[in-house]
């Protein structure tokens, strides 16, 4: 006697598995998560590269030369790209001391309060007065420490005049590309340049206060 033939039944498990596979096939590629540390190299949409500064909530703190190099290009609105090439922020402020980029809605960004090339963990920020011994975490020269010898310096560079800098007595050659200055685990500032035994850094606490910014800790 022939067995009765009818529609083949699917188990609930098999149906769920097939549904999951179909959803994966239909979904587009997910944006790669971008991890930002102090010193992480980021790329602009105009293809320039620069180092991220101390991590601030909702923003990226970038060096003043982190702008499009092409003449006549307005840097405001230029994209900062993440690990997968997606836009994670756009430049919203430019000065001779720093560039500020604001994170775009929906960007997948993880901020780690760590200096990338040393592993130093940042736990806060502090103002360093005259006589305070602080350290530059230099990519080129390692860890260099010395005393702060002056505040509110005005320095004239080829790119323009910058005010409000602190002077640090350290004898070493550059380059100094936005190297962080720390007091132990506390953020103090970023080096803008120097000559001989004088380094000039942008203090972090006045910058945070003036911009209404907070370190991401």
């Amino acid at each position: 006697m022939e067995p009765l033939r009818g529609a083949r039944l699917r188990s609930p498990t098999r149906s769920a598995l097939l549904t999951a596979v179909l959803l994966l096939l239909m979904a587009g590629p997910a944006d790669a998560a971008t991890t930002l540390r102090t010193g992480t190299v980021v790329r602009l949409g105009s293809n320039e590269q620069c180092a991220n500064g101390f991590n601030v909530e909702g923003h990226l703190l970038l060096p003043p030369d982190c702008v499009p190099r092409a003449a006549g290009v307005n840097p405001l609105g230029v994209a900062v790209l993440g690990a997968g090439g997606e836009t994670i922020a756009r430049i919203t402020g430019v000065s001779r001391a720093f560039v500020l980029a604001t994170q775009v809605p929906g960007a997948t960004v993880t901020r780690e309060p760590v200096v990338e090339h040393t592993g130093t963990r940042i736990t806060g920020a502090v103002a360093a007065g005259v006589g305070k011994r602080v350290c530059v975490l230099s990519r080129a020269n390692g860890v260099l420490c010395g005393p702060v010898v002056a505040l509110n310096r005005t320095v004239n560079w080829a790119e323009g005049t910058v005010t409000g800098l602190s002077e640090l007595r350290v004898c070493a050659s550059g380059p100094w590309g936005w190297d962080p200055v720390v007091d132990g685990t506390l953020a103090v500032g970023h080096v803008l340049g120097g000559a001989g035994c004088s380094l000039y850094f942008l203090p972090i606490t006045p910058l945070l206060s003036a911009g209404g910014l907070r370190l991401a800790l």
Side-chain angles (χ1 to χ4, degrees):
M1 185 176 177
E2 289 289 331
L4 295 175
R5 298 185 182 273
R8 186 176 180 186
L9 297 177
R10 293 179 179 173
S11 71
T13 301
R14 180 181 176 84
S15 297
L17 180 60
L18 288 173
T19 300
V21 171
L22 287 172
L23 288 174
L24 286 173
L25 291 174
M26 293 169 62
D31 287 339
T34 296
T35 299
L36 294 176
R37 294 180 169 188
T38 303
T40 298
V41 175
V42 296
R43 182 166 59 89
L44 301 184
S46 49
N47 215 34
E48 291 79 11
Q49 292 186 332
C50 51
N52 180 49
F54 291 115
N55 272 322
V56 292
E57 294 181 357
H59 301 274
L60 283 79
L61 191 59
L62 304 170
D65 61 353
C66 191
V67 291
R69 305 288 190 270
V73 176
N74 184 354
L76 296 179
V78 169
V80 179
L81 306 182
E86 75 283 3
T87 298
I88 60 171
R90 292 190 181 276
I91 293 176
T92 52
V94 176
S95 75
R96 288 176 177 164
F98 67 94
V99 168
L100 188 70
T102 301
Q103 187 172 321
V104 300
T108 307
V109 177
T110 300
R111 289 175 171 81
E112 295 184 355
V114 174
V115 178
E116 189 165 83
H117 53 286
T118 64
T120 304
R121 187 167 187 85
I122 301 302
T123 60
V126 68
V130 172
K132 180 64 179 178
R133 185 176 175 84
V134 297
C135 296
V136 179
L137 305 183
S138 168
R139 283 186 178 274
N141 297 292
V143 179
L144 302 169
C145 302
V148 175
V149 296
L151 307 177
N152 296 317
R153 287 289 202 195
T154 296
V155 182
N156 299 307
W157 280 305
E159 298 79 8
T161 300
V162 182
T163 61
L165 302 182
S166 296
E167 182 180 349
L168 174 62
R169 187 57 46 84
V170 169
C171 300
S173 59
W176 299 111
W178 207 228
D179 285 331
V181 181
V182 299
D183 177 7
T185 63
L186 300 175
V188 174
H190 283 286
V191 175
L192 292 185
C197 291
S198 292
L199 287 185
Y200 299 95
F201 67 87
L202 179 68
I204 190 72
T205 53
L207 189 160
L208 295 174
S209 177
L213 305 172
R214 292 194 306 174
L215 287 183
L217 302 174

